[in-house]
Amino acid sequence: MQEDNIYRKQEWKPGNMLYPLPAVMVTVADGEGRDNIITVAWTGTVCTNPPMVYISVRPERYSYHMIAKTGEFVINLTTRKLAYATDYCGVKSGREVDKFASLHLTRQKSSKVLPPLIGESPVNMECRVTECMKLGSHHMFLAEVVAVHASEAYMDQKGKFHLEQAEPIVYSHGAYCDLKSILGTFGYSVKKK
C-alpha cells in the first residue's frame, strides 16, 4: 500500500465494516437433552455492572430456538488451537452432527446455566438472556453474565490471568487471525515517563 493512497477513499454501500471481531463458540441446550455449538462473531460487551454481553443470531440457525426456549447460553473464547473447531461450528449445522463428538471437544458442566462449557476454551461465560431484540436479519440476545470460568493453565503464581498465553483469535473479513503482540496497555499514552 502506498502512503499517498491512505487518504483517498472510496464510498461503498452501507455495511458492517467493524473489524476485527471476537470469534467465539457459543454453547446452547434445549432442555431436552440436546446441545449445540454455534460460532458467533457478532458479540460484545454491553455493561460492567451488572456484567452484560450480547450475541446476534439469525432466527434460521439451529441454535436460535434453543436460546429462545431456555434463555441461556455460554460464550466460550477461542484460541489458535481452536481455530478449526471455530470455523467448523460456524459452517456445519447442529441438525446434522454432534459437534462436540465430531471435534473431540470436552463438555463440562456449567454451574448456573444448562448449556455446557467447552473444556478446551480458556474462558467460559455463562449467560442468561434478559431481552431479545428483533433487529432484522439477526436478533440480538442481551444477556447477563452469571458465572465466569478461567483456565488455571493461564494463571501465574500470583493468580493473574494471562489470556495472551492461550493465543486468542479474532475474525476479520472472512479470515481467522491471531494477536501477535501487545502494542501498549491501558493508559500507556498518558503515563508519565
Side-chain angles (χ1 to χ4, degrees), residues 164 167-168 178-185:
E164 73 281 0
E167 298 181 295
D178 61 9
L179 307 172
K180 287 290 185 190
S181 61
I182 296 172
L183 304 177
T185 57

Side-chain angles (χ1 to χ4, degrees), residues 43-55 73 75 112-113 123-131 141-149:
T43 182
T45 299
V46 175
C47 188
T48 302
N49 191 11
M52 296 185 76
V53 294
Y54 78 91
I55 60 171
F73 59 88
I75 294 176
K112 306 263 190 299
V113 299
V123 176
N124 321 86
M125 294 178 281
E126 298 183 37
C127 303
R128 282 206 182 104
V129 175
T130 60
E131 185 178 352
F141 292 101
L142 188 61
E144 185 169 349
V145 178
V146 295
V148 175
H149 305 269

Side-chain angles (χ1 to χ4, degrees), residues 123-174:
V123 176
N124 321 86
M125 294 178 281
E126 298 183 37
C127 303
R128 282 206 182 104
V129 175
T130 60
E131 185 178 352
C132 177
M133 300 171 75
K134 297 177 179 181
L135 301 172
S137 64
H138 289 68
H139 294 181
M140 184 176 78
F141 292 101
L142 188 61
E144 185 169 349
V145 178
V146 295
V148 175
H149 305 269
S151 174
E152 293 178 1
Y154 306 107
M155 291 184 196
D156 63 23
Q157 292 84 5
K158 294 180 180 178
K160 182 175 176 172
F161 187 69
H162 295 277
L163 181 60
E164 73 281 0
Q165 292 176 3
E167 298 181 295
I169 60 172
V170 294
Y171 183 78
S172 185
H173 299 282

Side-chain angles (χ1 to χ4, degrees), residues 30-81:
D30 66 1
E32 299 173 16
R34 287 181 297 276
D35 58 27
N36 191 41
I37 307 168
I38 181 175
T39 299
V40 173
W42 292 8
T43 182
T45 299
V46 175
C47 188
T48 302
N49 191 11
M52 296 185 76
V53 294
Y54 78 91
I55 60 171
S56 291
V57 180
R58 287 182 180 271
E60 308 85 56
R61 297 295 296 264
Y62 178 65
S63 295
Y64 175 90
H65 299 286
M66 291 186 189
I67 300 167
K69 179 181 178 183
T70 65
E72 298 178 339
F73 59 88
V74 177
I75 294 176
N76 303 273
L77 298 191
T78 57
T79 64
R80 176 185 275 277
K81 287 181 183 174

